[in-house]
Short mmCIF file of all heavy atoms in Angstrom, two decimals:
data_model
loop_
_atom_site.label_atom_id
_atom_site.label_comp_id
_atom_site.label_asym_id
_atom_site.label_seq_id
_atom_site.Cartn_x
_atom_site.Cartn_y
_atom_site.Cartn_z
N VAL A 234 -21.64 51.41 -13.75
CA VAL A 234 -22.85 51.52 -14.56
C VAL A 234 -23.44 52.91 -14.36
O VAL A 234 -23.81 53.28 -13.23
CB VAL A 234 -23.88 50.44 -14.18
CG1 VAL A 234 -25.15 50.62 -15.01
CG2 VAL A 234 -23.31 49.05 -14.40
N ALA A 235 -23.50 53.68 -15.43
CA ALA A 235 -24.05 55.03 -15.37
C ALA A 235 -25.57 54.98 -15.27
O ALA A 235 -26.23 54.30 -16.05
CB ALA A 235 -23.63 55.83 -16.59
N ASP A 236 -26.12 55.73 -14.32
CA ASP A 236 -27.58 55.78 -14.14
C ASP A 236 -28.25 56.62 -15.21
O ASP A 236 -29.39 56.33 -15.64
CB ASP A 236 -27.91 56.37 -12.77
CG ASP A 236 -27.28 55.60 -11.64
OD1 ASP A 236 -27.65 54.44 -11.44
OD2 ASP A 236 -26.39 56.17 -10.95
N LEU A 237 -27.55 57.69 -15.64
CA LEU A 237 -28.13 58.64 -16.58
C LEU A 237 -27.10 59.03 -17.63
O LEU A 237 -25.89 58.93 -17.40
CB LEU A 237 -28.58 59.92 -15.86
CG LEU A 237 -29.72 59.81 -14.83
CD1 LEU A 237 -29.86 61.13 -14.10
CD2 LEU A 237 -31.02 59.43 -15.51
N ALA A 238 -27.60 59.51 -18.77
CA ALA A 238 -26.74 60.11 -19.77
C ALA A 238 -26.61 61.60 -19.48
O ALA A 238 -27.48 62.20 -18.82
CB ALA A 238 -27.32 59.90 -21.17
N PHE A 239 -25.53 62.21 -19.96
CA PHE A 239 -25.33 63.64 -19.74
C PHE A 239 -26.57 64.45 -20.13
O PHE A 239 -26.99 65.36 -19.42
CB PHE A 239 -24.13 64.14 -20.55
CG PHE A 239 -22.79 63.69 -20.01
CD1 PHE A 239 -21.71 63.53 -20.87
CD2 PHE A 239 -22.60 63.44 -18.67
CE1 PHE A 239 -20.46 63.13 -20.40
CE2 PHE A 239 -21.37 63.03 -18.18
CZ PHE A 239 -20.29 62.87 -19.05
N ALA A 240 -27.15 64.12 -21.26
CA ALA A 240 -28.28 64.89 -21.79
C ALA A 240 -29.51 64.79 -20.90
O ALA A 240 -30.43 65.63 -21.01
CB ALA A 240 -28.62 64.42 -23.20
N GLU A 241 -29.55 63.80 -20.02
CA GLU A 241 -30.74 63.59 -19.20
C GLU A 241 -30.70 64.32 -17.86
O GLU A 241 -31.68 64.30 -17.11
CB GLU A 241 -30.92 62.08 -18.94
CG GLU A 241 -31.18 61.27 -20.19
CD GLU A 241 -31.22 59.78 -19.91
OE1 GLU A 241 -30.27 59.25 -19.29
OE2 GLU A 241 -32.22 59.15 -20.31
N VAL A 242 -29.58 64.94 -17.55
CA VAL A 242 -29.44 65.61 -16.25
C VAL A 242 -30.06 66.99 -16.31
O VAL A 242 -29.67 67.84 -17.12
CB VAL A 242 -27.97 65.71 -15.83
CG1 VAL A 242 -27.84 66.47 -14.51
CG2 VAL A 242 -27.35 64.33 -15.70
N ASP A 243 -31.04 67.23 -15.45
CA ASP A 243 -31.63 68.56 -15.33
C ASP A 243 -32.09 68.74 -13.89
O ASP A 243 -31.92 67.86 -13.05
CB ASP A 243 -32.79 68.76 -16.32
CG ASP A 243 -33.88 67.71 -16.13
OD1 ASP A 243 -33.86 66.98 -15.11
OD2 ASP A 243 -34.76 67.60 -17.00
N GLY A 244 -32.65 69.89 -13.60
CA GLY A 244 -33.08 70.16 -12.24
C GLY A 244 -31.93 70.58 -11.35
O GLY A 244 -30.77 70.63 -11.76
N VAL A 245 -32.25 70.87 -10.10
CA VAL A 245 -31.27 71.38 -9.15
C VAL A 245 -30.41 70.23 -8.62
O VAL A 245 -30.91 69.15 -8.32
CB VAL A 245 -31.98 72.09 -7.98
CG1 VAL A 245 -30.97 72.54 -6.93
CG2 VAL A 245 -32.77 73.28 -8.49
N LEU A 246 -29.10 70.48 -8.53
CA LEU A 246 -28.16 69.52 -7.95
C LEU A 246 -27.61 70.09 -6.65
O LEU A 246 -27.41 71.30 -6.53
CB LEU A 246 -26.98 69.26 -8.91
CG LEU A 246 -27.29 68.97 -10.38
CD1 LEU A 246 -25.98 68.77 -11.13
CD2 LEU A 246 -28.19 67.77 -10.51
N ASP A 247 -27.36 69.21 -5.71
CA ASP A 247 -26.67 69.66 -4.51
C ASP A 247 -25.17 69.73 -4.78
O ASP A 247 -24.54 70.76 -4.56
CB ASP A 247 -26.93 68.72 -3.34
CG ASP A 247 -26.23 69.18 -2.07
OD1 ASP A 247 -26.75 70.09 -1.41
OD2 ASP A 247 -25.13 68.65 -1.76
N THR A 248 -24.61 68.62 -5.29
CA THR A 248 -23.17 68.53 -5.50
C THR A 248 -22.88 67.92 -6.86
O THR A 248 -23.38 66.84 -7.18
CB THR A 248 -22.51 67.66 -4.41
OG1 THR A 248 -22.82 68.20 -3.11
CG2 THR A 248 -21.00 67.61 -4.59
N LEU A 249 -22.08 68.61 -7.64
CA LEU A 249 -21.56 68.07 -8.90
C LEU A 249 -20.12 67.67 -8.65
O LEU A 249 -19.30 68.50 -8.25
CB LEU A 249 -21.63 69.14 -9.99
CG LEU A 249 -20.87 68.84 -11.30
CD1 LEU A 249 -21.42 67.60 -11.98
CD2 LEU A 249 -20.91 70.05 -12.23
N LEU A 250 -19.81 66.40 -8.87
CA LEU A 250 -18.46 65.89 -8.57
C LEU A 250 -17.82 65.36 -9.85
O LEU A 250 -18.41 64.53 -10.54
CB LEU A 250 -18.53 64.79 -7.50
CG LEU A 250 -17.19 64.38 -6.88
CD1 LEU A 250 -17.40 63.92 -5.43
CD2 LEU A 250 -16.51 63.28 -7.67
N VAL A 251 -16.62 65.85 -10.13
CA VAL A 251 -15.89 65.46 -11.34
C VAL A 251 -14.60 64.75 -10.92
O VAL A 251 -13.68 65.38 -10.40
CB VAL A 251 -15.56 66.68 -12.21
CG1 VAL A 251 -14.84 66.25 -13.48
CG2 VAL A 251 -16.83 67.46 -12.55
N PRO A 252 -14.52 63.44 -11.11
CA PRO A 252 -13.32 62.69 -10.74
C PRO A 252 -12.23 62.85 -11.78
O PRO A 252 -12.41 63.52 -12.81
CB PRO A 252 -13.83 61.25 -10.68
CG PRO A 252 -14.95 61.21 -11.66
CD PRO A 252 -15.59 62.57 -11.64
N GLY A 253 -11.10 62.22 -11.53
CA GLY A 253 -9.97 62.31 -12.44
C GLY A 253 -9.72 61.02 -13.19
O GLY A 253 -10.46 60.04 -13.07
N ALA A 254 -8.67 61.03 -13.96
CA ALA A 254 -8.22 59.85 -14.69
C ALA A 254 -6.71 59.85 -14.66
O ALA A 254 -6.08 60.91 -14.54
CB ALA A 254 -8.72 59.85 -16.13
N VAL A 255 -6.13 58.70 -14.78
CA VAL A 255 -4.67 58.57 -14.69
C VAL A 255 -3.98 59.49 -15.67
O VAL A 255 -2.97 60.13 -15.37
CB VAL A 255 -4.24 57.11 -14.92
CG1 VAL A 255 -2.73 57.00 -15.00
CG2 VAL A 255 -4.77 56.23 -13.80
N ASN A 256 -4.52 59.58 -16.89
CA ASN A 256 -3.87 60.38 -17.94
C ASN A 256 -4.75 61.52 -18.41
O ASN A 256 -4.73 61.88 -19.58
CB ASN A 256 -3.51 59.48 -19.13
CG ASN A 256 -2.48 58.43 -18.76
OD1 ASN A 256 -1.48 58.75 -18.15
ND2 ASN A 256 -2.75 57.19 -19.12
N ALA A 257 -5.54 62.10 -17.51
CA ALA A 257 -6.42 63.18 -17.92
C ALA A 257 -5.62 64.35 -18.48
O ALA A 257 -4.59 64.72 -17.95
CB ALA A 257 -7.26 63.67 -16.75
N GLY A 258 -6.08 64.94 -19.56
CA GLY A 258 -5.36 66.07 -20.14
C GLY A 258 -5.66 66.22 -21.61
O GLY A 258 -6.52 65.56 -22.17
N PRO A 259 -4.94 67.11 -22.28
CA PRO A 259 -5.25 67.46 -23.66
C PRO A 259 -5.04 66.32 -24.64
O PRO A 259 -5.57 66.35 -25.74
CB PRO A 259 -4.27 68.62 -23.95
CG PRO A 259 -3.14 68.42 -22.97
CD PRO A 259 -3.80 67.87 -21.75
N ASP A 260 -4.29 65.31 -24.27
CA ASP A 260 -4.06 64.20 -25.20
C ASP A 260 -5.08 63.08 -25.05
O ASP A 260 -4.96 62.03 -25.67
CB ASP A 260 -2.66 63.61 -24.99
CG ASP A 260 -1.58 64.64 -25.28
OD1 ASP A 260 -1.82 65.49 -26.15
OD2 ASP A 260 -0.52 64.58 -24.64
N ASP A 261 -6.10 63.30 -24.25
CA ASP A 261 -7.04 62.23 -23.95
C ASP A 261 -8.43 62.53 -24.49
O ASP A 261 -9.43 62.15 -23.90
CB ASP A 261 -7.11 61.99 -22.45
CG ASP A 261 -5.79 61.50 -21.90
OD1 ASP A 261 -5.33 60.46 -22.36
OD2 ASP A 261 -5.22 62.20 -21.06
N ARG A 262 -8.52 63.23 -25.62
CA ARG A 262 -9.82 63.54 -26.18
C ARG A 262 -10.60 62.29 -26.55
O ARG A 262 -11.80 62.26 -26.48
CB ARG A 262 -9.65 64.44 -27.42
CG ARG A 262 -8.94 65.76 -27.14
CD ARG A 262 -9.55 66.52 -25.97
NE ARG A 262 -8.92 67.80 -25.79
CZ ARG A 262 -9.12 68.58 -24.73
NH1 ARG A 262 -9.89 68.18 -23.76
NH2 ARG A 262 -8.51 69.74 -24.64
N ALA A 263 -9.88 61.23 -26.90
CA ALA A 263 -10.56 59.99 -27.27
C ALA A 263 -11.30 59.38 -26.10
O ALA A 263 -12.24 58.63 -26.27
CB ALA A 263 -9.55 58.99 -27.82
N ALA A 264 -10.87 59.71 -24.88
CA ALA A 264 -11.54 59.19 -23.69
C ALA A 264 -12.81 59.95 -23.36
O ALA A 264 -13.48 59.64 -22.40
CB ALA A 264 -10.58 59.23 -22.50
N GLY A 265 -13.15 60.95 -24.15
CA GLY A 265 -14.39 61.68 -23.96
C GLY A 265 -14.29 62.91 -23.11
O GLY A 265 -15.31 63.41 -22.62
N SER A 266 -13.09 63.44 -22.93
CA SER A 266 -12.97 64.60 -22.05
C SER A 266 -13.68 65.83 -22.61
O SER A 266 -14.18 66.66 -21.85
CB SER A 266 -11.50 64.92 -21.76
OG SER A 266 -10.79 65.18 -22.95
N ASP A 267 -13.76 65.97 -23.94
CA ASP A 267 -14.50 67.09 -24.53
C ASP A 267 -15.96 67.04 -24.10
O ASP A 267 -16.55 68.07 -23.75
CB ASP A 267 -14.40 67.05 -26.06
CG ASP A 267 -13.08 67.59 -26.57
OD1 ASP A 267 -12.45 68.40 -25.86
OD2 ASP A 267 -12.67 67.21 -27.68
N ASP A 268 -16.55 65.85 -24.14
CA ASP A 268 -17.95 65.70 -23.73
C ASP A 268 -18.13 66.05 -22.27
O ASP A 268 -19.10 66.70 -21.88
CB ASP A 268 -18.42 64.26 -23.98
CG ASP A 268 -18.55 63.93 -25.45
OD1 ASP A 268 -18.61 64.87 -26.26
OD2 ASP A 268 -18.58 62.73 -25.78
N VAL A 269 -17.19 65.59 -21.43
CA VAL A 269 -17.28 65.87 -20.00
C VAL A 269 -17.19 67.36 -19.74
O VAL A 269 -17.98 67.93 -18.98
CB VAL A 269 -16.18 65.12 -19.22
CG1 VAL A 269 -16.29 65.43 -17.73
CG2 VAL A 269 -16.28 63.62 -19.45
N VAL A 270 -16.24 68.03 -20.37
CA VAL A 270 -16.04 69.47 -20.16
C VAL A 270 -17.28 70.25 -20.58
O VAL A 270 -17.75 71.14 -19.84
CB VAL A 270 -14.80 69.96 -20.94
CG1 VAL A 270 -14.75 71.48 -20.97
CG2 VAL A 270 -13.52 69.40 -20.32
N ALA A 271 -17.84 69.93 -21.72
CA ALA A 271 -19.04 70.64 -22.19
C ALA A 271 -20.21 70.42 -21.23
O ALA A 271 -20.96 71.35 -20.91
CB ALA A 271 -19.41 70.17 -23.60
N TRP A 272 -20.35 69.19 -20.76
CA TRP A 272 -21.45 68.89 -19.84
C TRP A 272 -21.26 69.61 -18.50
O TRP A 272 -22.21 70.18 -17.95
CB TRP A 272 -21.54 67.39 -19.63
CG TRP A 272 -22.59 67.01 -18.63
CD1 TRP A 272 -23.95 67.01 -18.80
CD2 TRP A 272 -22.35 66.59 -17.27
NE1 TRP A 272 -24.57 66.61 -17.64
CE2 TRP A 272 -23.62 66.34 -16.69
CE3 TRP A 272 -21.20 66.38 -16.52
CZ2 TRP A 272 -23.76 65.91 -15.38
CZ3 TRP A 272 -21.35 65.95 -15.21
CH2 TRP A 272 -22.61 65.72 -14.65
N VAL A 273 -20.02 69.59 -17.97
CA VAL A 273 -19.75 70.26 -16.71
C VAL A 273 -20.06 71.76 -16.81
O VAL A 273 -20.66 72.35 -15.91
CB VAL A 273 -18.29 70.03 -16.28
CG1 VAL A 273 -17.88 70.97 -15.15
CG2 VAL A 273 -18.08 68.58 -15.86
N ALA A 274 -19.65 72.37 -17.90
CA ALA A 274 -19.92 73.80 -18.10
C ALA A 274 -21.43 74.08 -18.11
O ALA A 274 -21.89 75.11 -17.61
CB ALA A 274 -19.29 74.29 -19.40
N ARG A 275 -22.19 73.14 -18.66
CA ARG A 275 -23.65 73.34 -18.76
C ARG A 275 -24.35 73.17 -17.41
O ARG A 275 -25.24 73.96 -17.07
CB ARG A 275 -24.25 72.36 -19.77
CG ARG A 275 -25.78 72.46 -19.89
CD ARG A 275 -26.33 71.54 -20.95
NE ARG A 275 -26.27 70.14 -20.59
CZ ARG A 275 -27.17 69.53 -19.79
NH1 ARG A 275 -28.16 70.21 -19.25
NH2 ARG A 275 -27.05 68.23 -19.53
N VAL A 276 -23.95 72.14 -16.64
CA VAL A 276 -24.72 71.83 -15.43
C VAL A 276 -24.17 72.47 -14.17
O VAL A 276 -24.87 72.51 -13.15
CB VAL A 276 -24.83 70.30 -15.22
CG1 VAL A 276 -25.52 69.66 -16.40
CG2 VAL A 276 -23.48 69.67 -14.94
N ALA A 277 -22.96 73.00 -14.20
CA ALA A 277 -22.40 73.61 -13.00
C ALA A 277 -23.30 74.68 -12.39
O ALA A 277 -23.43 74.75 -11.16
CB ALA A 277 -21.00 74.17 -13.28
N PRO A 278 -23.94 75.54 -13.21
CA PRO A 278 -24.83 76.54 -12.61
C PRO A 278 -26.03 75.94 -11.88
O PRO A 278 -26.67 76.65 -11.09
CB PRO A 278 -25.28 77.36 -13.83
CG PRO A 278 -24.22 77.16 -14.85
CD PRO A 278 -23.78 75.76 -14.66
N LEU A 279 -26.33 74.67 -12.12
CA LEU A 279 -27.45 74.02 -11.46
C LEU A 279 -27.08 73.51 -10.07
O LEU A 279 -27.95 73.10 -9.30
CB LEU A 279 -27.95 72.83 -12.29
CG LEU A 279 -28.35 73.09 -13.74
CD1 LEU A 279 -28.74 71.78 -14.42
CD2 LEU A 279 -29.52 74.09 -13.79
N ALA A 280 -25.77 73.49 -9.75
CA ALA A 280 -25.28 72.85 -8.53
C ALA A 280 -25.00 73.87 -7.43
O ALA A 280 -24.49 74.96 -7.69
CB ALA A 280 -24.02 72.04 -8.83
N ARG A 281 -25.31 73.47 -6.21
CA ARG A 281 -24.97 74.30 -5.05
C ARG A 281 -23.47 74.40 -4.88
O ARG A 281 -22.93 75.44 -4.51
CB ARG A 281 -25.60 73.72 -3.79
CG ARG A 281 -25.24 74.46 -2.50
CD ARG A 281 -26.01 73.93 -1.32
NE ARG A 281 -25.60 72.58 -0.94
CZ ARG A 281 -24.63 72.32 -0.07
NH1 ARG A 281 -23.93 73.31 0.47
NH2 ARG A 281 -24.33 71.06 0.25
N ARG A 282 -22.78 73.29 -5.15
CA ARG A 282 -21.32 73.31 -5.09
C ARG A 282 -20.77 72.37 -6.16
O ARG A 282 -21.43 71.40 -6.56
CB ARG A 282 -20.81 72.91 -3.70
CG ARG A 282 -21.12 71.49 -3.31
CD ARG A 282 -20.76 71.21 -1.86
NE ARG A 282 -21.28 69.91 -1.45
CZ ARG A 282 -21.47 69.54 -0.19
NH1 ARG A 282 -21.18 70.38 0.79
NH2 ARG A 282 -21.95 68.34 0.09
N VAL A 283 -19.55 72.68 -6.58
CA VAL A 283 -18.88 71.89 -7.62
C VAL A 283 -17.58 71.37 -7.01
O VAL A 283 -16.84 72.12 -6.37
CB VAL A 283 -18.59 72.75 -8.86
CG1 VAL A 283 -17.85 71.93 -9.91
CG2 VAL A 283 -19.89 73.30 -9.44
N VAL A 284 -17.30 70.08 -7.24
CA VAL A 284 -16.17 69.43 -6.61
C VAL A 284 -15.38 68.65 -7.66
O VAL A 284 -15.97 67.99 -8.52
CB VAL A 284 -16.65 68.43 -5.52
CG1 VAL A 284 -15.47 67.74 -4.86
CG2 VAL A 284 -17.52 69.15 -4.49
N SER A 285 -14.07 68.74 -7.60
CA SER A 285 -13.23 67.88 -8.44
C SER A 285 -12.31 67.06 -7.56
O SER A 285 -11.94 67.49 -6.46
CB SER A 285 -12.41 68.69 -9.44
OG SER A 285 -11.41 69.45 -8.77
N VAL A 286 -11.94 65.89 -8.04
CA VAL A 286 -11.00 65.02 -7.35
C VAL A 286 -9.83 64.75 -8.29
O VAL A 286 -10.03 64.46 -9.47
CB VAL A 286 -11.66 63.69 -6.95
CG1 VAL A 286 -10.64 62.78 -6.26
CG2 VAL A 286 -12.85 63.93 -6.02
N CYS A 287 -8.61 64.87 -7.77
CA CYS A 287 -7.42 64.53 -8.54
C CYS A 287 -7.37 65.35 -9.83
O CYS A 287 -7.56 66.56 -9.81
CB CYS A 287 -7.39 63.02 -8.80
SG CYS A 287 -5.80 62.37 -9.31
N THR A 288 -7.12 64.72 -10.96
CA THR A 288 -6.99 65.45 -12.22
C THR A 288 -8.32 65.90 -12.78
O THR A 288 -8.36 66.53 -13.83
CB THR A 288 -6.26 64.59 -13.27
OG1 THR A 288 -6.97 63.36 -13.43
CG2 THR A 288 -4.83 64.32 -12.85
N GLY A 289 -9.41 65.63 -12.08
CA GLY A 289 -10.69 66.24 -12.44
C GLY A 289 -10.62 67.75 -12.41
O GLY A 289 -11.42 68.44 -13.07
N THR A 290 -9.66 68.30 -11.66
CA THR A 290 -9.46 69.75 -11.63
C THR A 290 -9.17 70.29 -13.03
O THR A 290 -9.59 71.39 -13.39
CB THR A 290 -8.31 70.12 -10.68
OG1 THR A 290 -8.59 69.56 -9.39
CG2 THR A 290 -8.16 71.62 -10.55
#
Side-chain angles (χ1 to χ4, degrees):
V234 178
D236 303 294
L237 295 172
F239 288 151
E241 296 175 308
V242 177
D243 57 12
V245 176
L246 312 179
D247 181 79
T248 303
L249 168 62
L250 192 150
V251 182
V255 173
N256 295 312
D260 298 329
D261 296 300
R262 301 309 184 190
S266 59
D267 281 335
D268 290 342
V269 179
V270 168
W272 176 74
V273 167
R275 178 177 71 81
V276 300
L279 305 176
R281 176 174 69 89
R282 65 188 171 201
V283 178
V284 180
S285 69
V286 178
C287 197
T288 56
T290 305

